[in-house]
Amino acid sequence: MSDVTLSDRLADAPPRPGGRWRTPLRPVVAGVFVAVLVVVLAGQWRQARPLLGRLSVPVVLASWALVLAGIYATFRSWRAALADLGGSLPHTGAMRVFYLGQLGKYLPGTVWPAVTQMRLGRDYRVPPRASGAAFVVFMLMLIGTGLLVGVPVIPLLGRDAVDEYRWLALVLPLFAIALAPPVLNRAIALALRLARRPPMPAPLSRGGILRVAGWAVVSWLCYGVHVYLLARQLGAEGGALLWLQCTGAFAAAFVSGPLLLVVPAGAGVREAALLLLLGSTVTAPVAAVIAVVSRLLFIVGDVAWSGVAVVAARRAAVSAPGPLPPGPS
């Protein structure tokens, strides 16, 4: 059997069964995720329901499609980071690890997506240190590119936006330095030494970092258009300038969420920031509708992509060849 074929079998194979305590624990964790998502979704729906009548179904669906495209671009960004670190996965396995792991962001704290992805990655023989490092690199790059997209637009969003968010301009250079491959590689190597773990299977490369950043920028462009469509439908006027303002405002608002580690998925932080950042571009009621509907579209988008990942993983498991030898612990 060729190396390529064996690699494909290992990656596409059904997940390895866990230990005795892990098997009953998985449904419990999944139940907690679902319960939290239901609560969050219900809360957003109560706010959005009286406002949705102002939006046409085609515009909402188009905005949701752009959100789905943006979420997929973030998946490709994370996958590029994992592959560059030596933890390459095929599309089906990578989708399961990323999208199910991302449901953890709806729990308080930012550690749950990383923990879940590390555990799911082990099912596909990806070292936990590679999954953990990939998540950190991905999040740093998402925030860094969000700052890169949002900070230059803040002066176009009015005096209040400048006064409240000019501190982001001070954070941007720090991310630019931290995201350089030599700096990241040294930081990862130091963390592994302190944790007494083996080194990474492969170091980050300049090309890999550029791929991670490129897909992250694509996600911001998609998210900007989804805000633009909602704003135009609600009566805002403008062409390219309005799109630029919507993109920059959303990026700056989005990266504000991870700064509060105890808030699930930045809930409330992003909406408050978006209200202020769009305050001089659209009216306050329009900004409120955009913030709430956008959050609702993201929640439904995360759930939808998770469902797609589960279905794809089950089909891959059914069509996979015979059992494989146990992987490394």
Side-chain angles (χ1 to χ4, degrees):
M1 181 179 296
S2 67
D3 291 340
V4 174
T5 303
L6 178 59
S7 175
D8 291 341
R9 288 189 63 204
L10 287 172
D12 279 325
R16 292 180 299 164
R20 293 181 179 178
W21 66 270
R22 289 171 182 157
T23 300
L25 183 60
R26 286 187 174 188
V28 174
V29 174
V32 172
F33 281 174
V34 171
V36 172
L37 282 171
V38 168
V39 172
V40 174
L41 186 58
Q44 297 296 335
W45 175 254
R46 284 195 296 269
Q47 299 176 58
R49 185 176 180 181
L51 305 173
L52 290 178
R54 301 176 60 181
L55 294 167
S56 67
V57 173
V59 168
V60 172
L61 290 178
S63 297
W64 188 49
L66 287 161
V67 169
L68 291 175
I71 295 174
Y72 179 76
T74 61
F75 157 69
R76 293 298 300 269
S77 178
W78 167 84
R79 190 182 179 195
L82 183 64
D84 202 40
L85 288 166
S88 181
L89 280 174
H91 203 264
T92 300
M95 286 178 63
R96 179 175 178 268
V97 173
F98 179 79
Y99 289 123
L100 295 186
Q102 284 296 95
L103 295 181
K105 68 185 180 183
Y106 292 101
L107 297 175
T110 58
V111 69
W112 299 113
V115 170
T116 308
Q117 288 176 9
M118 289 167 67
R119 180 63 192 92
L120 292 172
R122 290 184 64 181
D123 292 341
Y124 297 93
R125 289 135 173 113
V126 175
R129 65 187 186 279
S131 298
F135 176 80
V136 172
V137 172
F138 158 71
M139 283 301 302
L140 289 175
M141 187 60 71
L142 192 65
I143 296 173
T145 54
L147 291 170
L148 183 64
V149 171
V151 167
V153 180
I154 289 178
L156 303 177
L157 300 175
R159 187 65 189 175
D160 289 341
V162 173
D163 290 341
E164 292 293 331
Y165 288 94
R166 66 177 132 194
W167 59 272
L168 291 177
L170 302 177
V171 180
L172 179 57
L174 299 178
F175 272 86
I177 295 173
L179 290 171
V183 176
L184 279 174
N185 285 325
R186 289 191 183 97
I188 292 172
L190 176 61
L192 291 175
R193 281 199 301 271
L194 293 176
R196 297 182 178 179
R197 294 291 185 270
M200 295 300 302
L204 289 165
S205 66
R206 182 175 301 177
I209 285 294
L210 289 176
R211 285 189 291 273
V212 176
W215 281 110
V217 171
V218 170
S219 72
W220 294 124
L221 298 179
C222 292
Y223 296 153
V225 178
H226 110 273
V227 175
Y228 171 79
L229 290 180
L230 294 175
R232 286 299 304 266
Q233 177 72 23
L234 293 170
E237 297 182 356
L241 178 59
L242 177 62
W243 170 77
L244 186 63
Q245 291 170 321
C246 289
T247 302
F250 186 85
F254 195 103
V255 300
S256 300
L259 299 179
L260 292 179
L261 304 181
V262 298
V263 179
V269 179
R270 186 198 309 173
E271 287 79 3
L274 196 57
L275 281 171
L276 190 149
L277 290 166
L278 286 177
S280 64
T281 303
V282 299
T283 63
V286 168
V289 174
I290 292 173
V292 173
V293 172
S294 174
R295 169 65 70 171
L296 188 63
L297 293 178
F298 268 87
I299 294 174
V300 178
D302 284 331
V303 174
W305 271 122
S306 299
V308 171
V310 169
V311 172
R314 287 181 177 176
R315 289 183 176 178
V318 170
S319 62
L324 293 165
S329 59

